[in-house]
Amino acid sequence: MGTGNIERVCVIGAGVMGAAIAAQVANAGVRVLLLDILPKGEGADRSSVAKAAIARLLKTDPAPFMSPAAARLVEAGNIEDDLGRVAECDWVIEAIVERLDAKQALYRRLDAVRRPGTAISSNTSTIPLAQLVDGLPAALQRDFMITHFFNPPRYMRLLEIVTSPETDAALVDRIAQFSDHRLGKTVVRAKDTPGFIANRIGTFWLQHGVNAAIDLGLTVEEADAVMGRPFGIPKTGVFGLLDLVGLDLMPHINASMKASLPADDAFLASLRDQPLLNRMIADGYTGRKGKGGFYRINRTAGKVKESIGLVTGDYATSSRATVPSELSRSPKALIASSEKLGRYAWAVMGATLAYGASLVPAIADDIVAVDAAMRLGFNWKQGPFELLDALGPAAVAARLEQGGQTAPALLKQVGDGTFYKIEDGETRFLGTDGQYRPVPREAGVLLLADIKRIREPELRNGSAALWDIGDGVACFEFSSKMNAIDEPILKLLEKSIDLVKQRFRALVIYSDATNFSAGANLGLALFACNIAAWGEIEKLVASGQRTLKAMKYAPFPVVAGVAGLALGGGCEVVLHADAVQAHAESYIGLVECGVGLVPGWGGCGEMLQRWRDAPGAPHGPMPAPGKVFETVSVATVSKSAAEAKSLRFLRETDGITMNRDRLLFDARARALSMVEGYTPPTPPEFRLPGAGGRLAMRLAAEGFHRQGVASVHDLVVADGLAEVLTGGDADYVDTVSEKDLLALERRAFMRLIRTGPTLDRIQHTLETGKPLRN
């Protein structure tokens, strides 16, 4: 078995986590054997427990599987009949009940059937590794580790790996490499301490969040407003997150911490008996998986969102809470405020950051591991030490001392400095020895943020920039809000194409941001509509068409590095690239029909060409337009990069990167592989079905209207799309040029954007983020 070469995995335990881990391994294209206990009752299918888990995965939303093909890679079995098949596997992951005796009994059985050198790991987060391997054979101890996945495993990027002094380092590296490249995980090496890294700090933060909200008389909405966006934390905050993970989980975690932490640990001082929480759990209010939690939806009152009073214990209609803008933009100003929200911010974050600083090097060798664990395990934008730098380490230490607390040694050690600093064009971090050293990057990891620290952009405006990312490749970066495409982006892209012709070999379109692009800037479009600036809108449509075609036919390869949302205009950029390197979690779609429009920048033609030229595609003028209409008219968005291929938003030849941090490197490599002998594509011509095809599409849309799933205005929009895809009103169109198709798009787009229902949809989408059916 070569380095990182994992060809088959066995997961034992088909509960929520075990089954979802199996799904993510299958997403990597690796065969999985999923085992569980025998079912109760005579005559039952002996593998029905694991089979039921797979069936549950297929119904779960968000989906654990990235594609139907991945689901077919998971094979169900049972521990009694199939344990011997562990000999076929390269890695065995245990995810059974959190009982030490049960786990050790299983390990002994595994040791009797596994091949020597097969990795055995546990997904536990509550039982120390030292206890798991105590008394087990030395050979098993050498191959044993903890691999702690976060829920849901498909979407949470953190994997904490814990080893013992006896663990084979080469085997750990092999598992880490596979988890990085194939499973898409950021691997953090944690020490064998209670809760490891993320849960140790994260549950401390949650505990203080609840305690301080009760002490200071905050509502759950106020607490979540403070503990959310002002600190770069998801808007769920404290109470929303507890509802998400389940209130009943906290007593188990707290009991484990209480049993394993030393008596003087600050975590234990935060533990309180909360009668309200106890009552909620007893009454079934365990969060989203129960009848509700701190928030609930009162369906008897007409789906009204309610929240619980932390003092009264009674539910009432939830009211939105906000943090004053001057405080929400500055965590430093927020914790300095003497108002109630500011006092809450300091009570929670001051204690949490101090606690995190006190745990290094006990829980991890360095601060980089701690920051990565909290960013990826709890989705914080910044880790504890990055937040300390934003707040000022010296100021935080002084305030702790003023409050009668002793500042942690590491916080004193940094003094008036910072935990991170830029030196000689690279980011360095403070080690526990007081020395600064470079933040490590794995081979094959390239972040645009690193490039931006050492170079100035080649071109820049308020919405985009062009960067030299090395090896003769330029990178065009969107930088507007949600990377929404506006006129400045299009203008800079045109300039960038000219510059790349002169000085570079290839172009990558990419951003470190969460989303590639949420589409065209609808706010600016709506403003122009409200003042009847139709000429400006038509100019923007023409500019988008001209720029994307210039990109498509440039004399150098263009690769789109896509991650997250690539919707509407963002999808049209993707469709015009010569190749795409997509992160596995890419959600791509032409969604213009959802706001009452049709794609206006050439997306219809690009999709027609892909469906027409797909291997095995039927001949004739109707199949390709029919497929595009079927996808685009209902604003279909892929739920993964794998699904984007089946929808033709990606080609079969486009690449998929599992680890987000490797996406830019892979996109650059793809661009370089295309440079030699590159020639631009030839403009396509289309045979389209004309009026007959348009009528067929109209009848299909009317069928949906009769079923109540399409509105009257949906019929208008669908007809506009059909007009483009079928070539207009002619009886039959033998040859339509790309230029003619662009003209049809412009005409249909401008006709639709002048209608009142479309403007209502755009307004509604801007306000709610959801399309309006009218």
Side-chain angles (χ1 to χ4, degrees), residues 405-445:
Q405 298 174 256
T406 301
L410 200 57
L411 198 52
K412 291 180 179 179
Q413 185 182 53
V414 74
D416 293 326
T418 54
F419 287 102
Y420 294 92
K421 67 178 182 179
I422 306 297
E423 189 172 274
D424 298 328
E426 65 181 358
T427 305
R428 296 175 179 265
F429 72 95
L430 180 69
T432 55
D433 59 358
Q435 301 299 310
Y436 285 91
R437 48 183 53 84
V439 172
R441 295 277 187 245
E442 295 285 341
V445 171

Side-chain angles (χ1 to χ4, degrees), residues 213-238:
I214 293 172
D215 292 346
L216 293 169
L218 271 72
T219 65
V220 294
E221 292 91 346
E222 288 173 328
D224 286 345
V226 173
M227 282 299 111
R229 288 173 176 163
F231 289 100
I233 293 171
K235 63 181 181 180
T236 51
V238 167

Side-chain angles (χ1 to χ4, degrees), residues 522-537 540 753 759:
L522 291 177
L524 291 178
L526 184 63
F527 174 77
C529 292
N530 287 335
I531 61 173
W534 307 115
E536 292 302 310
I537 296 174
L540 179 64
I753 204 168
L759 296 183

Side-chain angles (χ1 to χ4, degrees), residues 167-232:
T167 310
D168 180 358
L171 182 61
V172 176
D173 288 343
R174 188 180 302 156
I175 295 300
Q177 185 184 62
F178 174 81
S179 300
D180 172 349
H181 289 263
R182 301 293 298 279
L183 301 185
K185 302 301 176 187
T186 296
V187 175
V188 172
R189 307 291 181 102
K191 295 188 178 180
D192 190 19
T193 56
F196 310 136
I197 301 173
N199 280 347
R200 178 79 169 271
I201 297 172
T203 51
F204 180 93
W205 169 70
L206 289 171
Q207 197 73 39
H208 272 264
V210 172
N211 293 344
I214 293 172
D215 292 346
L216 293 169
L218 271 72
T219 65
V220 294
E221 292 91 346
E222 288 173 328
D224 286 345
V226 173
M227 282 299 111
R229 288 173 176 163
F231 289 100

Side-chain angles (χ1 to χ4, degrees), residues 649-669:
F649 294 127
L650 297 180
R651 308 172 186 87
E652 282 300 318
T653 54
D654 287 331
I656 296 177
T657 297
M658 292 293 284
N659 191 319
R660 178 68 173 81
D661 290 343
R662 297 183 177 278
L663 181 58
L664 180 57
F665 182 93
D666 291 349
R668 184 179 68 177

Side-chain angles (χ1 to χ4, degrees), residues 450-470:
D450 290 343
I451 299 291
K452 291 159 76 170
R453 292 189 188 102
I454 61 175
R455 294 179 184 162
E456 292 296 317
E458 303 293 316
L459 297 170
R460 167 178 268 166
N461 63 21
S463 297
L466 184 73
W467 302 90
D468 181 348
I469 58 172

Side-chain angles (χ1 to χ4, degrees), residues 36-48:
D36 210 303
I37 60 174
L38 294 175
K40 296 179 180 178
E42 295 294 329
D45 183 334
R46 291 172 66 85
S47 298
S48 61

